[in-house]
Amino acid sequence: MYEAVYAHPDGDSTVARHALTAADSGYDGIVVRNHGDAQADYDADAISDAYDIDVAAGVEVRADDPSRASGFVGNYRSDRTVVVVHGGDRRINRFAVEQPTVDVLAHPMREDGDFNHVLANAAADNGVRVEFDFGPVLRASGGTRVRAIKELRKLKELVEDAGAPFVVSASPSNHLQIRAPRDLIAVGETIGFDADTLRKGLAEWERVAERNRERQSDAVIEPGVRLEDGDQQGDDA
């Protein structure tokens, strides 16, 4: 299971500190999902070796309109393992679920965002994962928390009805906001999620990262076509 984090300067903790806490909490990896204008400087391999946890390079595209979002997705797709689109705007939500090059639509219900069965079906058709963001449930209070719970329940119903893929996250911006999988599952169960769904959503980050690394591998010519060792040898004549 993986968690997707915002690291300094997009958050308060470094990638290394997030990785250490995530490893101690029982995660197998983290996705560094900083927004495009606040990228983190880190050595993923060194951190992975130090804390025995996978570190996947991601980006969360944030834009005011779909055309700008499309440009950013195109720019990042080739060099980021996981490409996320910052949701919450109705036009951006629609853009994201219609793009097979997008891996995840993040927190689609935030701000003035909305999500309906049409978008859920588009996400299912294009393999775009919808994020169940538990951050507001864990960190907000009063009416804000009640609204966040209601929105998550609505999103869950839409995603399940459409058979759309999904991920789960606490969207931590510092290491103290990371919750162990068992704790996040316990919170989810209290608001109507089942444990298997939550485990699947946490594991989906890893599946996306592994799939995209495979696609980015130099050994892959196109989906389903792979160079073998013998194919990479040139003529000596």
Side-chain angles (χ1 to χ4, degrees), residues 134-156:
F134 280 83
V137 175
L138 293 166
R139 299 188 288 273
S141 60
T144 301
R145 185 172 187 271
V146 171
R147 185 165 56 253
I149 292 172
K150 180 179 178 181
E151 290 173 346
L152 267 181
R153 288 172 173 165
K154 174 186 175 183
L155 189 62
K156 172 178 176 289

Side-chain angles (χ1 to χ4, degrees), residues 7-89:
H8 181 78
D10 207 13
D12 299 323
S13 300
T14 64
V15 174
R17 194 67 183 85
H18 274 298
L20 172 59
T21 302
D24 288 344
S25 299
Y27 287 99
D28 302 304
I30 60 172
V31 175
V32 183
R33 65 191 288 182
N34 286 30
H35 293 96
D37 58 354
Q39 291 293 287
D41 183 15
Y42 61 98
D43 185 330
D45 291 336
I47 293 171
S48 180
D49 290 343
Y51 303 118
D52 193 23
I53 186 170
D54 183 36
V55 179
V59 65
E60 186 167 317
V61 168
R62 179 168 52 191
D64 295 331
D65 62 78
S67 62
R68 287 178 59 82
S70 179
F72 290 144
V73 169
N75 290 340
Y76 286 116
R77 181 68 277 176
S78 63
D79 62 4
R80 292 295 191 278
T81 303
V82 181
V83 174
V84 181
V85 169
H86 182 105
D89 176 274

Side-chain angles (χ1 to χ4, degrees), residues 5 17 25 41 44-45 88 115 122 133 138 142 189 207 210 223 226:
V5 306
R17 194 67 183 85
S25 299
D41 183 15
D45 291 336
F115 200 82
D133 177 9
L138 293 166
E189 287 182 308
R207 199 181 81 80
E210 290 180 347
R226 170 179 292 278

